[in-house]
Amino acid sequence: QVQLVESGGGLVQAGGSLRLSCVGSGSIFRVNAMGWYRQAPGKQRELVATITDGGATNYADSVKGRFTISSDNAKMTVYLQMNSLKPEDTAVYYCNLKGLSYRLSSVSFWGQGTQITVSS
């Protein structure tokens, strides 16, 4: 089992920056990818950015050029640097880890979420 804890959320003015961190504890056989998702009120959870164990990244079109994801998979840690924040970035941001258990089954874990509010 893995527990993920996010930090770094808060209130920021439009145009500002925040950095989210997610630290995992526990143990699994292999981490395949870590990422960030967000859910705004009344909307479905959506992908923000992911990074594989090989370092390949994927971003939602809405955050490309503004957000940067990085990770240390060996430490089950992932970061999200968010620049040029917009009010539409307001949401609860969730950390996610995907990997293989020691029984070689696919597993996915979620953090509890951290609120980001961008004021105009």
Side-chain angles (χ1 to χ4, degrees):
Q1 290 294 320
V2 171
Q3 293 77 43
L4 300 172
V5 178
E6 301 103 335
S7 62
L11 174 66
V12 64
Q13 289 188 333
S17 298
L18 284 174
R19 187 174 192 241
L20 300 183
S21 299
C22 173
V23 179
S25 60
S27 179
I28 59 172
F29 177 71
R30 178 186 174 89
V31 175
N32 289 331
M34 297 189 73
W36 292 93
Y37 294 72
R38 67 187 181 187
Q39 187 167 18
K43 295 187 177 181
Q44 291 188 336
R45 190 173 298 188
E46 63 177 4
L47 179 148
V48 176
T50 59
I51 184 167
T52 69
D53 61 338
T57 58
N58 182 45
Y59 294 92
D61 287 343
S62 60
V63 307
K64 284 180 181 177
R66 301 188 297 122
F67 292 9
T68 302
I69 190 170
S70 59
S71 72
D72 184 341
N73 284 358
K75 297 181 179 179
M76 292 192 293
T77 301
V78 64
Y79 306 97
L80 186 68
Q81 178 65 42
M82 304 182 292
N83 299 327
S84 302
L85 282 160
K86 303 176 181 180
E88 50 263 45
D89 294 318
T90 295
V92 178
Y93 283 69
Y94 296 91
C95 174
N96 175 259
L97 181 152
K98 291 182 172 60
L100 292 176
S101 71
Y102 287 103
R103 295 186 177 183
L104 301 183
S105 60
S106 295
V107 291
S108 178
F109 301 98
W110 293 92
Q112 81 286 355
T114 186
Q115 176 71 46
I116 302 292
T117 302
V118 184
S119 63
S120 57

